[in-house]
């Protein structure tokens, strides 16, 4: 079945450092979504990417969708303690009807 | 704002018990989903439903069933709970309609189930 691999599983950074999480799919995706789950909370939608090579920004967060539509990344510039949580990517296979989630990257920020 | 609610935040059950997890959404969404979340495995889809009385198996349906008698309510049933079903269960809904991107998932707060 469709696999969405996400790395790293865990990252601990000093406040002010950058952070990146990567997602890779074994098959071409029609779109990819990113979610954030705060500790003790539920996943909350951040953004959706649809086009090949698409780049979107939300303040300190930069999201990219690869040219082949098989990989994606989320980059946070100058992390803050409010960035703590688990970041999930979720991809939809072309012509598919299900969203497949990556395992998530847990981000911890030391102040 | 979309609101997805789940009947319990925490639940403790015994092996062999029948367990009902309820999910209700208030935005007239057509699509509803049940996931389980386990450390290192992310969210895995158990069942989903695109319409009343309609259901489709997700990636890990074994040991579970679902019911969608009304549009706003989607129930997950553990016919005979087992210890390996101890997990966090998340319900989600999507409308497929604008203004949100199609199929943005709105999640409930989750039910943390412990099976002893």
């Amino acid at each position: 079945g469709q696999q969405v691999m996400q790395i790293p599983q865990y990252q601990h950074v000093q406040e002010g450092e950058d952070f990146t999480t990567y997602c890779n799919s074994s098959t071409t995706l029609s779109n990819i979504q990113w979610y954030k789950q705060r500790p003790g909370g539920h996943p909350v939608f951040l953004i959706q990417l649809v086009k090949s090579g698409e780049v979107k920004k939300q303040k300190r967060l930069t999201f990219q969708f690869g040219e082949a539509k098989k990989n994606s990344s989320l980059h946070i510039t100058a992390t803050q303690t409010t960035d703590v949580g688990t970041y999930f990517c979720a991809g939809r296979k072309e012509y598919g009807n299900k969203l497949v989630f990556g395992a998530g990257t847990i981000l911890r920020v030391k102040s | 704002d979309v609101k997805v609610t789940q009947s319990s935040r925490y639940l403790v059950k015994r092996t062999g018990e029948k367990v009902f997890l309820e999910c209700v959404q208030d935005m007239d969404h057509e699509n509803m989903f049940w996931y389980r979340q386990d450390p290192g495995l992310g969210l895995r889809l158990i069942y989903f439903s695109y319409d009343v009385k309609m259901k489709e198996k997700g990636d890990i349906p074994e040991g579970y069933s679902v019911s969608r008698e009304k549009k706003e309510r989607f129930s997950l049933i553990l016919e005979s709970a087992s210890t390996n079903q101890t997990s966090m269960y998340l319900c989600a809904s999507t409308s497929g309609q604008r203004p949100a991107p199609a199929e943005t998932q709105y999640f409930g707060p989750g039910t943390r189930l412990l099976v002893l």
Side-chain angles (χ1 to χ4, degrees):
Chain A
Q2 180 188 359
Q3 297 277 335
V4 175
M5 308 302 292
Q6 189 173 354
I7 56 169
Q9 188 175 348
Y10 181 85
Q11 187 137 22
H12 200 168
V13 300
Q14 192 71 40
E15 190 174 19
E17 290 182 341
D18 293 355
F19 159 77
T20 306
T21 173
Y22 300 90
C23 267
N24 289 288
S25 169
S26 54
T27 57
T28 304
L29 302 170
S30 61
N31 62 53
I32 194 154
Q33 298 180 357
W34 285 91
Y35 292 79
K36 178 183 178 181
Q37 183 177 25
R38 294 182 185 276
H42 57 273
V44 174
F45 174 81
L46 292 176
I47 208 158
Q48 176 170 284
L49 304 170
V50 178
K51 299 176 188 172
S52 168
E54 190 170 13
V55 178
K56 286 188 176 179
K57 293 194 176 193
Q58 289 179 351
K59 297 181 181 178
R60 294 177 294 103
L61 276 61
T62 302
F63 304 84
Q64 289 189 315
F65 200 10
E67 293 290 342
K69 299 182 75 173
K70 286 187 176 182
N71 54 69
S72 182
S73 65
L74 157 59
H75 180 82
I76 302 178
T77 303
T79 54
Q80 299 175 358
T81 54
T82 52
D83 295 325
V84 160
T86 303
Y87 292 85
F88 292 98
C89 61
R92 184 175 305 279
K93 189 177 176 181
E94 279 188 327
Y95 314 117
N97 60 358
K98 291 184 292 186
L99 207 56
V100 178
F101 282 80
T105 296
I106 300 170
L107 172 64
R108 292 289 177 257
V109 179
K110 271 188 300 190
S111 58
Chain B
D1 268 358
V2 176
K3 191 129 188 203
V4 181
T5 56
Q6 294 183 228
S7 48
S8 307
R9 290 302 303 269
Y10 301 95
L11 213 50
V12 180
K13 294 291 180 182
R14 296 214 173 267
T15 302
E17 278 193 75
K18 191 167 186 175
V19 182
F20 293 87
L21 303 182
E22 304 284 340
C23 175
V24 177
Q25 48 91 6
D26 67 356
M27 285 301 292
D28 202 35
H29 283 177
E30 292 83 9
N31 315 312
M32 297 186 76
F33 306 79
W34 273 107
Y35 295 88
R36 64 178 281 176
Q37 182 177 11
D38 301 287
L41 296 177
L43 280 69
R44 292 180 293 165
L45 182 63
I46 305 171
Y47 267 98
F48 60 106
S49 168
Y50 284 153
D51 202 352
V52 174
K53 296 195 186 294
M54 175 271 171
K55 61 186 178 187
E56 279 195 44
K57 290 181 180 179
D59 299 316
I60 52 164
E62 297 78 20
Y64 303 94
S65 61
V66 290
S67 171
R68 187 133 182 236
E69 295 296 318
K70 293 186 177 180
K71 191 175 185 180
E72 67 271 16
R73 188 181 296 270
F74 193 34
S75 303
L76 179 70
I77 302 150
L78 285 65
E79 296 290 342
S80 176
S82 62
T83 54
N84 62 14
Q85 291 179 309
T86 291
S87 186
M88 167 73 91
Y89 289 89
L90 288 161
C91 173
S93 72
T94 71
S95 68
Q97 306 285 338
R98 296 291 176 179
E103 296 145 5
T104 299
Q105 305 245 332
Y106 295 92
F107 285 88
T111 296
R112 194 168 288 282
L113 172 67
L114 172 62
V115 182
L116 300 174

Short mmCIF file of all heavy atoms in Angstrom, two decimals, chain B residues 60-97:
data_model
loop_
_atom_site.label_atom_id
_atom_site.label_comp_id
_atom_site.label_asym_id
_atom_site.label_seq_id
_atom_site.Cartn_x
_atom_site.Cartn_y
_atom_site.Cartn_z
N ILE B 60 -6.61 -0.32 8.74
CA ILE B 60 -6.55 -1.29 9.87
C ILE B 60 -7.95 -1.52 10.45
O ILE B 60 -8.21 -1.24 11.62
CB ILE B 60 -5.57 -0.80 10.97
CG1 ILE B 60 -5.87 0.64 11.40
CG2 ILE B 60 -4.12 -0.92 10.50
CD1 ILE B 60 -5.23 1.02 12.70
N PRO B 61 -8.89 -2.08 9.70
CA PRO B 61 -10.26 -2.22 10.19
C PRO B 61 -10.49 -3.42 11.12
O PRO B 61 -11.53 -3.49 11.78
CB PRO B 61 -11.05 -2.41 8.90
CG PRO B 61 -10.07 -3.10 7.98
CD PRO B 61 -8.72 -2.54 8.33
N GLU B 62 -9.54 -4.33 11.18
CA GLU B 62 -9.75 -5.58 11.93
C GLU B 62 -10.02 -5.30 13.40
O GLU B 62 -9.27 -4.56 14.05
CB GLU B 62 -8.54 -6.51 11.79
CG GLU B 62 -8.25 -6.97 10.37
CD GLU B 62 -7.56 -5.92 9.52
OE1 GLU B 62 -6.96 -4.98 10.09
OE2 GLU B 62 -7.63 -6.03 8.28
N GLY B 63 -11.07 -5.89 13.92
CA GLY B 63 -11.43 -5.73 15.32
C GLY B 63 -12.33 -4.54 15.60
O GLY B 63 -12.72 -4.30 16.74
N TYR B 64 -12.68 -3.81 14.52
CA TYR B 64 -13.52 -2.62 14.65
C TYR B 64 -14.70 -2.70 13.71
O TYR B 64 -14.65 -3.36 12.68
CB TYR B 64 -12.73 -1.36 14.31
CG TYR B 64 -11.48 -1.14 15.12
CD1 TYR B 64 -10.25 -1.57 14.63
CD2 TYR B 64 -11.52 -0.47 16.34
CE1 TYR B 64 -9.09 -1.37 15.35
CE2 TYR B 64 -10.36 -0.26 17.07
CZ TYR B 64 -9.15 -0.71 16.56
OH TYR B 64 -8.01 -0.50 17.29
N SER B 65 -15.75 -1.99 14.07
CA SER B 65 -16.84 -1.74 13.14
C SER B 65 -17.30 -0.30 13.36
O SER B 65 -16.88 0.34 14.32
CB SER B 65 -18.00 -2.73 13.33
OG SER B 65 -18.54 -2.59 14.65
N VAL B 66 -18.14 0.20 12.46
CA VAL B 66 -18.61 1.58 12.57
C VAL B 66 -20.09 1.65 12.25
O VAL B 66 -20.67 0.72 11.67
CB VAL B 66 -17.84 2.54 11.63
CG1 VAL B 66 -16.41 2.75 12.10
CG2 VAL B 66 -17.90 2.07 10.19
N SER B 67 -20.67 2.77 12.64
CA SER B 67 -22.07 3.01 12.36
C SER B 67 -22.27 4.48 12.05
O SER B 67 -21.77 5.35 12.77
CB SER B 67 -22.92 2.61 13.57
OG SER B 67 -24.26 3.02 13.40
N ARG B 68 -23.02 4.75 10.96
CA ARG B 68 -23.35 6.14 10.62
C ARG B 68 -24.84 6.19 10.27
O ARG B 68 -25.22 6.10 9.12
CB ARG B 68 -22.50 6.66 9.47
CG ARG B 68 -22.72 8.15 9.22
CD ARG B 68 -21.44 8.89 9.08
NE ARG B 68 -21.65 10.32 8.90
CZ ARG B 68 -21.18 10.99 7.87
NH1 ARG B 68 -20.51 10.38 6.91
NH2 ARG B 68 -21.38 12.30 7.79
N GLU B 69 -25.64 6.35 11.32
CA GLU B 69 -27.09 6.40 11.14
C GLU B 69 -27.57 7.82 10.84
O GLU B 69 -28.61 8.02 10.21
CB GLU B 69 -27.80 5.87 12.39
CG GLU B 69 -27.53 4.39 12.67
CD GLU B 69 -28.09 3.51 11.56
OE1 GLU B 69 -29.21 3.77 11.09
OE2 GLU B 69 -27.38 2.57 11.13
N LYS B 70 -26.81 8.81 11.32
CA LYS B 70 -27.15 10.22 11.06
C LYS B 70 -25.90 10.91 10.52
O LYS B 70 -24.77 10.52 10.84
CB LYS B 70 -27.61 10.91 12.34
CG LYS B 70 -28.91 10.40 12.88
CD LYS B 70 -29.37 11.23 14.06
CE LYS B 70 -30.73 10.73 14.55
NZ LYS B 70 -31.20 11.52 15.70
N LYS B 71 -26.10 11.94 9.74
CA LYS B 71 -24.99 12.61 9.07
C LYS B 71 -23.97 13.16 10.07
O LYS B 71 -22.78 13.13 9.82
CB LYS B 71 -25.53 13.76 8.21
CG LYS B 71 -24.53 14.37 7.27
CD LYS B 71 -25.19 15.40 6.40
CE LYS B 71 -24.22 15.93 5.37
NZ LYS B 71 -24.84 16.96 4.51
N GLU B 72 -24.44 13.64 11.21
CA GLU B 72 -23.53 14.32 12.12
C GLU B 72 -22.81 13.36 13.08
O GLU B 72 -21.92 13.78 13.79
CB GLU B 72 -24.30 15.36 12.95
CG GLU B 72 -25.32 14.80 13.94
CD GLU B 72 -26.69 14.60 13.31
OE1 GLU B 72 -26.79 14.61 12.06
OE2 GLU B 72 -27.66 14.46 14.08
N ARG B 73 -23.17 12.11 13.08
CA ARG B 73 -22.65 11.19 14.10
C ARG B 73 -22.00 9.96 13.46
O ARG B 73 -22.60 9.31 12.59
CB ARG B 73 -23.79 10.75 15.01
CG ARG B 73 -23.38 9.95 16.22
CD ARG B 73 -24.62 9.57 17.01
NE ARG B 73 -25.29 10.76 17.53
CZ ARG B 73 -25.03 11.30 18.71
NH1 ARG B 73 -24.12 10.79 19.50
NH2 ARG B 73 -25.67 12.38 19.09
N PHE B 74 -20.80 9.65 13.92
CA PHE B 74 -20.06 8.48 13.41
C PHE B 74 -19.52 7.73 14.61
O PHE B 74 -18.74 8.29 15.38
CB PHE B 74 -18.94 8.97 12.49
CG PHE B 74 -18.28 7.92 11.66
CD1 PHE B 74 -18.98 6.82 11.16
CD2 PHE B 74 -16.94 8.02 11.32
CE1 PHE B 74 -18.38 5.86 10.36
CE2 PHE B 74 -16.32 7.07 10.52
CZ PHE B 74 -17.03 6.00 10.06
N SER B 75 -19.94 6.50 14.76
CA SER B 75 -19.57 5.72 15.93
C SER B 75 -18.56 4.65 15.58
O SER B 75 -18.70 3.98 14.54
CB SER B 75 -20.81 5.05 16.55
OG SER B 75 -21.78 6.03 16.86
N LEU B 76 -17.59 4.46 16.45
CA LEU B 76 -16.61 3.38 16.31
C LEU B 76 -16.92 2.34 17.38
O LEU B 76 -17.11 2.70 18.55
CB LEU B 76 -15.19 3.92 16.47
CG LEU B 76 -14.06 2.90 16.38
CD1 LEU B 76 -13.93 2.40 14.93
CD2 LEU B 76 -12.73 3.50 16.83
N ILE B 77 -16.96 1.08 16.97
CA ILE B 77 -17.32 0.00 17.90
C ILE B 77 -16.19 -1.01 17.95
O ILE B 77 -15.71 -1.47 16.91
CB ILE B 77 -18.61 -0.69 17.44
CG1 ILE B 77 -19.73 0.36 17.34
CG2 ILE B 77 -19.01 -1.80 18.41
CD1 ILE B 77 -20.77 0.05 16.32
N LEU B 78 -15.75 -1.31 19.17
CA LEU B 78 -14.81 -2.40 19.38
C LEU B 78 -15.66 -3.56 19.88
O LEU B 78 -16.17 -3.53 21.01
CB LEU B 78 -13.75 -2.02 20.42
CG LEU B 78 -12.65 -1.05 19.98
CD1 LEU B 78 -13.19 0.34 19.65
CD2 LEU B 78 -11.56 -0.96 21.04
N GLU B 79 -15.85 -4.56 19.06
CA GLU B 79 -16.78 -5.64 19.38
C GLU B 79 -16.36 -6.40 20.63
O GLU B 79 -17.18 -6.76 21.45
CB GLU B 79 -16.88 -6.60 18.19
CG GLU B 79 -17.48 -5.95 16.94
CD GLU B 79 -18.95 -5.64 17.09
OE1 GLU B 79 -19.61 -6.21 18.00
OE2 GLU B 79 -19.48 -4.82 16.32
N SER B 80 -15.06 -6.63 20.76
CA SER B 80 -14.53 -7.35 21.93
C SER B 80 -13.13 -6.79 22.18
O SER B 80 -12.17 -7.22 21.54
CB SER B 80 -14.48 -8.85 21.64
OG SER B 80 -13.90 -9.54 22.73
N ALA B 81 -13.06 -5.82 23.08
CA ALA B 81 -11.82 -5.07 23.25
C ALA B 81 -10.66 -5.98 23.63
O ALA B 81 -10.81 -6.93 24.42
CB ALA B 81 -12.02 -4.00 24.31
N SER B 82 -9.49 -5.67 23.06
CA SER B 82 -8.27 -6.39 23.41
C SER B 82 -7.19 -5.38 23.80
O SER B 82 -7.29 -4.19 23.47
CB SER B 82 -7.80 -7.24 22.23
OG SER B 82 -7.49 -6.40 21.14
N THR B 83 -6.19 -5.89 24.51
CA THR B 83 -5.16 -4.97 25.03
C THR B 83 -4.42 -4.24 23.91
O THR B 83 -3.97 -3.11 24.10
CB THR B 83 -4.16 -5.72 25.91
OG1 THR B 83 -3.63 -6.83 25.18
CG2 THR B 83 -4.82 -6.23 27.19
N ASN B 84 -4.31 -4.87 22.73
CA ASN B 84 -3.60 -4.19 21.64
C ASN B 84 -4.45 -3.09 20.98
O ASN B 84 -4.00 -2.44 20.02
CB ASN B 84 -3.10 -5.18 20.58
CG ASN B 84 -4.21 -5.94 19.90
OD1 ASN B 84 -5.39 -5.57 20.00
ND2 ASN B 84 -3.87 -7.00 19.18
N GLN B 85 -5.65 -2.89 21.51
CA GLN B 85 -6.46 -1.76 21.05
C GLN B 85 -6.35 -0.56 21.98
O GLN B 85 -7.04 0.44 21.79
CB GLN B 85 -7.93 -2.19 20.89
CG GLN B 85 -8.11 -3.15 19.73
CD GLN B 85 -9.54 -3.62 19.57
OE1 GLN B 85 -10.19 -4.07 20.52
NE2 GLN B 85 -10.05 -3.53 18.34
N THR B 86 -5.49 -0.68 22.98
CA THR B 86 -5.16 0.48 23.81
C THR B 86 -4.48 1.50 22.91
O THR B 86 -3.47 1.21 22.28
CB THR B 86 -4.22 0.07 24.95
OG1 THR B 86 -4.94 -0.74 25.88
CG2 THR B 86 -3.66 1.29 25.66
N SER B 87 -5.05 2.70 22.85
CA SER B 87 -4.54 3.70 21.91
C SER B 87 -5.27 5.02 22.12
O SER B 87 -6.22 5.12 22.89
CB SER B 87 -4.76 3.21 20.48
OG SER B 87 -4.16 4.08 19.53
N MET B 88 -4.84 6.02 21.34
CA MET B 88 -5.59 7.28 21.23
C MET B 88 -6.43 7.18 19.96
O MET B 88 -5.89 6.88 18.88
CB MET B 88 -4.63 8.47 21.12
CG MET B 88 -5.30 9.75 20.69
SD MET B 88 -6.32 10.47 21.97
CE MET B 88 -5.12 11.54 22.73
N TYR B 89 -7.72 7.44 20.08
CA TYR B 89 -8.62 7.36 18.93
C TYR B 89 -9.07 8.78 18.56
O TYR B 89 -9.58 9.53 19.40
CB TYR B 89 -9.82 6.48 19.24
CG TYR B 89 -9.43 5.02 19.32
CD1 TYR B 89 -9.00 4.46 20.53
CD2 TYR B 89 -9.44 4.21 18.18
CE1 TYR B 89 -8.61 3.14 20.60
CE2 TYR B 89 -9.04 2.90 18.24
CZ TYR B 89 -8.63 2.36 19.46
OH TYR B 89 -8.23 1.05 19.51
N LEU B 90 -8.88 9.11 17.31
CA LEU B 90 -9.21 10.44 16.81
C LEU B 90 -10.27 10.34 15.73
O LEU B 90 -10.14 9.55 14.80
CB LEU B 90 -7.97 11.12 16.23
CG LEU B 90 -6.93 11.59 17.25
CD1 LEU B 90 -5.59 11.79 16.57
CD2 LEU B 90 -7.37 12.88 17.92
N CYS B 91 -11.28 11.16 15.87
CA CYS B 91 -12.31 11.28 14.85
C CYS B 91 -12.03 12.54 14.04
O CYS B 91 -11.50 13.53 14.59
CB CYS B 91 -13.68 11.38 15.53
SG CYS B 91 -15.05 11.73 14.43
N ALA B 92 -12.37 12.53 12.76
CA ALA B 92 -12.19 13.72 11.93
C ALA B 92 -13.34 13.81 10.94
O ALA B 92 -14.00 12.82 10.63
CB ALA B 92 -10.85 13.66 11.18
N SER B 93 -13.57 15.03 10.46
CA SER B 93 -14.58 15.21 9.42
C SER B 93 -14.05 16.18 8.37
O SER B 93 -13.16 16.99 8.64
CB SER B 93 -15.89 15.73 10.01
OG SER B 93 -15.77 17.08 10.41
N THR B 94 -14.59 16.05 7.16
CA THR B 94 -14.24 16.96 6.07
C THR B 94 -15.50 17.24 5.27
O THR B 94 -16.41 16.43 5.20
CB THR B 94 -13.19 16.37 5.11
OG1 THR B 94 -13.80 15.33 4.32
CG2 THR B 94 -12.01 15.80 5.83
N SER B 95 -15.49 18.41 4.64
CA SER B 95 -16.66 18.77 3.85
C SER B 95 -16.41 18.59 2.37
O SER B 95 -17.33 18.36 1.61
CB SER B 95 -17.05 20.22 4.10
OG SER B 95 -16.05 21.06 3.57
N GLY B 96 -15.16 18.73 1.95
CA GLY B 96 -14.87 18.74 0.53
C GLY B 96 -15.33 20.01 -0.13
O GLY B 96 -15.35 20.13 -1.34
N GLN B 97 -15.76 20.98 0.70
CA GLN B 97 -16.29 22.22 0.13
C GLN B 97 -15.36 23.37 0.46
O GLN B 97 -14.61 23.34 1.42
CB GLN B 97 -17.67 22.52 0.74
CG GLN B 97 -18.68 21.41 0.61
CD GLN B 97 -19.22 21.29 -0.79
OE1 GLN B 97 -19.17 22.24 -1.56
NE2 GLN B 97 -19.74 20.12 -1.13
#
